[in-house]
Amino acid sequence: MATELSKIRNFSIIAHIDHGKSTLADRLIQRTGGLTDREMSAQVLDNMDIEKERGITIKAQTVRLEWKGHVLNLMDTPGHVDFAYEVSRSLAACEGALLVVDAAQGVEAQTLANVYQSIEHDHEIIPVINKIDLPSAEPEKVRHEIEEIIGIDASNAVLASAKSGIGIDEILDAVVERIPAPKGDADAPLKAMLVDSWYDPYLGVVILVRVIDGTIRKGQQIKFMAAGTTHLIDRVGAFTPKIEQLPDLGPGEIGFITAQIKEVAQARVGDTLTDAKRPALEALPGFKEVQSVVFCGLFPVDANDFEKLRESISKLRLNDASFSFEMETSAALGFGFRCGFLGLLHLEIIQERLMREYDLDLITTAPSVVYQIELTHGGGHIELHNPADMPDPNKIESIAEPWIQAVIYVPDEYLGSVLKLCQDRRGIQKNLTYVGGRAQATYELPLNEVVFDFYDRLKSLSKGYASFDYEQIGYRDGDLVKMGILVNEEPVDALSMIVHRSTAEVRGRGMVERLKELIPRHLFKIPIQAAIGGKVIARETISAMRKDVTAKCYGGDATRKRKLLDKQKKGKAKMREYGSVSIPQEAFIAALRMGEE
């Protein structure tokens, strides 16, 4: 039987990476008896190894808890900006949120982005100051920070330590008392939001749903309003966090359904489910098609692994519909795939999962973003994902690149170097304010300057203290050019990239200098050039290995030596003309990894 509306509480946990979100979820599950101590494991809702190791949440998870006669549905949402759309759908399925802030670190950039999303959804927000048992904890300072930066009242914030189990009962009581019950009409036509979906080898696609109106039950024929497909439900249930099958789910409830769906791509996050026979009049607002933001090529180090890579990517795609791929070939790297990702963290996760779970050695080409190119003479406009496909410059009217608005939190002493980094990356400063001993800088930056190694540089300049969050703000025209790399006057397509004209020379010089160190010497001279169109902007030369042909000449006339050296010179010229330069895979990997110093 569906639970009574007034007894339901739906909430999510918002926190920056490593502020104790998953540990708090563990304690709540343990305290409400969801799992016994023997069944418990650390970060129980993070079921991927990568999630546990890095302390991040990649997939949204849900768990149904019972506390003092109430049913609490907890949504554990991803915290990273790459998954912002999934987070927005998870938040739309709740009426409130726990804002978890580390008592030693204070408010960070990602916390801020997700809190604002939560406020937009009109949530009741309960501040939780976590890790209060740390020696460096300053709960009063953090309380003040929450009020000053976020602007919500933190006077009744719950002080807790998820690790030691302090304040867990108070958090559960606060959820029951402060978060409003959901609204909904059980007799209205079915309207449910698809919050998330994943592939299970035994059950097929498992769909996480939040019922708004109506009732969802086993044997019902449902329709996906955005996808336009109909399916028969064969299982309805909830996670406690063990799978518990239920006869139905009523308004306000969160649970899962399976309906013999084979591909995650059919079950798109944010879609509306309704009854096929008695459909709702309109879909729920907020549905968006997921767009890839960052693209890069994935190639196997060993060409014989291509089929294995194809199979592995297809399997991953079963579980992650936001990741796209198509085949591509490269003269230097052979067969591979051009893949699209939600952002850099998403790229890193997919790459790591392919290496770990499928035991593949991969080469990743330099990440690039999607450029919009306007062609001359009314040729329309095209989207460019791969720098190697760039049309002839004479046919291009203009190139637009995506821009982002970034919010950076950084301790005062590192502010200078962080501002310089943003300035070097063509950033436009929008705002700079101080909160306590920390600065909040708001910058507009081109996304292609950020995908390279911006995050790593930011972390190393600030000794790991800076936090960074961004959102896309659309496309802007820029003076962009394609920079090609030529080795022995042969273009190497895998190393070509699109850069801003003002930074092209520095980028080109860095790349040719690095390749000079990485490519082994041959018996002939090898020029390495960075060029824009026909104009060379940087050049290095790898000198030839030479045999000492004059070693046998003791004394005698100088012309004898000259004759031997001239003969050698002719041979070298001929060799350079017909010889091909073999660039070892390691050189590619190192050149692509470094991106820029």
Side-chain angles (χ1 to χ4, degrees):
M1 253 322 278
T3 315
E4 195 186 317
L5 272 173
S6 61
K7 298 287 185 196
I8 301 174
R9 299 289 183 271
N10 298 324
F11 69 101
S12 63
I13 303 181
I14 296 170
H16 188 73
I17 290 170
D18 223 16
H19 278 206
K21 182 162 61 118
S22 297
T23 315
L24 178 59
D26 289 355
R27 285 300 88 76
L28 296 175
I29 292 167
Q30 221 169 349
R31 183 69 190 87
T32 53
L35 290 175
T36 62
D37 289 352
R38 192 166 66 87
E39 293 168 316
M40 205 60 206
S41 68
Q43 292 158 268
V44 75
L45 294 182
D46 291 343
N47 41 21
M48 279 187 245
D49 288 346
I50 301 176
E51 290 186 310
K52 292 196 175 183
E53 273 171 36
R54 294 192 174 201
I56 56 177
T57 301
I58 296 165
K59 292 291 281 179
Q61 300 286 343
T62 174
V63 60
R64 175 184 285 222
L65 312 170
E66 295 202 358
W67 182 251
K68 297 184 178 174
H70 288 75
V71 171
L72 314 183
N73 289 309
L74 155 64
M75 307 277 289
D76 187 13
T77 55
H80 199 274
V81 58
D82 286 5
F83 309 111
Y85 175 61
E86 279 92 329
V87 175
S88 80
R89 296 302 86 209
S90 299
L91 291 176
C94 300
E95 278 77 38
L98 292 179
L99 166 65
V100 178
V101 183
D102 186 323
Q105 308 245 354
V107 176
E108 304 266 3
Q110 278 171 22
T111 322
L112 211 61
N114 289 345
V115 162
Y116 287 149
Q117 274 211 24
S118 192
I119 291 169
E120 273 171 32
H121 285 105
D122 219 11
H123 281 180
E124 181 62 44
I125 295 170
I126 301 171
V128 175
I129 298 173
N130 193 21
K131 307 191 187 183
I132 55 163
D133 53 348
L134 286 180
S136 55
E138 297 177 85
E140 283 314 308
K141 184 180 164 202
V142 172
R143 196 191 295 264
H144 180 64
E145 254 186 45
I146 293 172
E147 291 183 348
E148 202 168 307
I149 300 175
I150 301 169
I152 57 174
D153 178 21
S155 57
N156 54 1
V158 183
L159 301 181
S161 166
K163 205 164 209 166
S164 323
I166 301 167
I168 301 301
D169 286 15
E170 286 82 341
I171 292 172
L172 289 163
D173 288 340
V175 167
V176 170
E177 287 160 22
R178 294 198 227 162
I179 290 177
K183 296 181 176 71
D185 179 358
D187 302 322
L190 171 66
K191 212 185 245 190
M193 186 201 289
L194 195 158
V195 179
D196 203 359
S197 58
W198 62 91
Y199 186 78
D200 182 288
Y202 303 107
L203 305 173
V205 175
V206 180
I207 297 171
L208 201 56
V209 292
R210 153 74 203 264
V211 182
I212 309 291
D213 289 326
T215 309
I216 204 164
R217 58 177 66 84
K218 191 175 169 178
Q220 189 175 8
Q221 190 90 20
I222 54 155
K223 182 179 181 186
F224 289 173
M225 292 181 86
T229 54
T230 54
H231 305 276
L232 186 71
I233 297 176
D234 55 18
R235 195 181 274 100
V236 174
F239 296 102
T240 65
K242 290 178 290 197
I243 288 181
E244 186 183 309
Q245 294 209 33
L246 299 168
D248 58 17
L249 289 171
E253 291 195 281
I254 294 176
F256 73 88
I257 59 165
T258 61
Q260 297 170 354
I261 300 170
K262 299 286 183 284
E263 285 183 23
V264 173
Q266 293 178 327
R268 292 178 287 189
V269 173
D271 204 341
T272 306
L273 278 64
T274 189
D275 193 310
K277 297 188 179 73
R278 185 176 163 227
L281 294 174
E282 52 183 37
L284 295 164
F287 174 73
K288 271 205 319 245
E289 287 284 350
V290 178
Q291 299 283 319
S292 298
V293 174
V294 176
F295 287 81
C296 79
L298 290 180
F299 294 87
V301 168
D302 179 355
N304 298 330
D305 282 345
F306 174 70
E307 280 305 321
K308 188 178 171 188
L309 175 63
R310 184 205 294 269
E311 205 177 296
S312 310
I313 282 185
S314 304
K315 280 184 186 166
L316 263 190
R317 165 87 179 150
L318 276 177
N319 235 333
D320 189 346
S322 53
F323 151 64
S324 59
F325 65 93
E326 58 186 38
M327 216 180 112
E328 80 165 339
T329 53
S330 151
L333 302 171
F335 288 104
F337 292 94
R338 187 92 196 151
C339 302
F341 307 92
L342 295 174
L344 282 179
L345 179 78
H346 192 213
L347 182 156
E348 228 175 286
I349 288 161
I350 296 280
Q351 195 183 335
E352 201 162 318
R353 286 185 68 185
L354 285 169
M355 287 175 166
R356 275 188 190 194
E357 295 171 26
Y358 301 99
D359 197 26
L360 285 160
D361 276 345
L362 297 174
I363 297 173
T364 314
T365 62
S368 75
V369 296
V370 183
Y371 298 94
Q372 292 185 345
I373 298 179
E374 198 67 47
L375 300 171
T376 50
H377 311 306
H381 85 276
I382 55 170
E383 288 198 342
L384 180 73
H385 296 180
N386 187 349
D389 300 336
M390 186 145 165
D392 182 342
N394 301 328
K395 295 180 182 166
I396 297 173
E397 182 74 47
S398 64
I399 305 179
E401 58 181 338
W403 277 65
I404 59 166
Q405 180 159 306
V407 176
I408 300 168
Y409 273 92
V410 60
D412 210 11
E413 63 261 40
Y414 308 115
L415 181 64
S417 45
V418 169
L419 293 184
K420 184 179 182 307
L421 172 71
C422 293
Q423 225 58 53
D424 292 348
R425 299 300 171 91
R426 303 192 277 132
I428 302 167
Q429 189 175 323
K430 286 288 169 192
N431 200 355
L432 182 61
T433 51
Y434 281 88
V435 182
R438 291 192 306 167
Q440 174 193 332
T442 307
Y443 264 88
E444 287 181 356
L445 289 153
L447 185 60
N448 78 340
E449 298 283 351
V450 176
V451 296
F452 237 16
D453 64 342
F454 182 84
Y455 196 61
D456 297 343
R457 300 280 300 141
L458 181 69
K459 285 292 183 197
S460 59
L461 287 172
S462 65
K463 298 195 168 57
Y465 284 111
S467 65
F468 163 72
D469 192 78
Y470 68 85
E471 60 177 3
Q472 282 192 279
I473 52 172
Y475 280 78
R476 293 181 191 175
D477 284 355
D479 187 7
L480 301 165
V481 288
K482 175 184 167 187
M483 183 179 78
I485 301 289
L486 295 94
V487 175
N488 198 19
E489 290 171 6
E490 287 289 318
V492 182
D493 56 354
L495 296 177
S496 63
M497 59 178 80
I498 291 175
V499 292
H500 194 265
R501 202 181 292 273
S502 63
T503 57
E505 201 174 318
V506 178
R507 279 272 170 94
R509 181 150 293 129
M511 196 60 123
V512 295
E513 282 170 5
R514 193 164 311 110
L515 283 170
K516 184 185 178 183
E517 292 162 23
L518 297 167
I519 296 174
R521 286 169 71 188
H522 287 53
L523 290 167
F524 50 92
K525 220 167 30 172
I526 304 171
I528 303 171
Q529 297 158 314
I532 294 171
K535 184 185 173 198
V536 174
I537 54 169
R539 172 182 169 134
E540 287 287 337
T541 308
I542 300 173
S543 53
M545 290 193 287
R546 60 180 281 232
K547 182 181 168 190
D548 189 358
V549 288
T550 59
K552 60 187 180 191
C553 299
Y554 289 105
D557 189 4
T559 52
R560 286 180 65 203
K561 289 186 181 178
R562 183 78 272 135
K563 193 170 152 192
L564 288 167
L565 288 168
D566 283 347
K567 190 178 172 191
Q568 183 187 35
K569 193 174 173 186
K570 270 187 193 156
K572 293 262 183 227
K574 195 172 177 187
M575 205 186 277
R576 190 181 153 208
E577 204 175 314
Y578 297 110
S580 65
V581 180
S582 58
I583 306 175
Q585 296 282 31
E586 297 77 57
F588 267 116
I589 296 169
L592 293 168
R593 280 233 172 103
M594 299 301 287
E596 69 179 66
E597 284 303 336

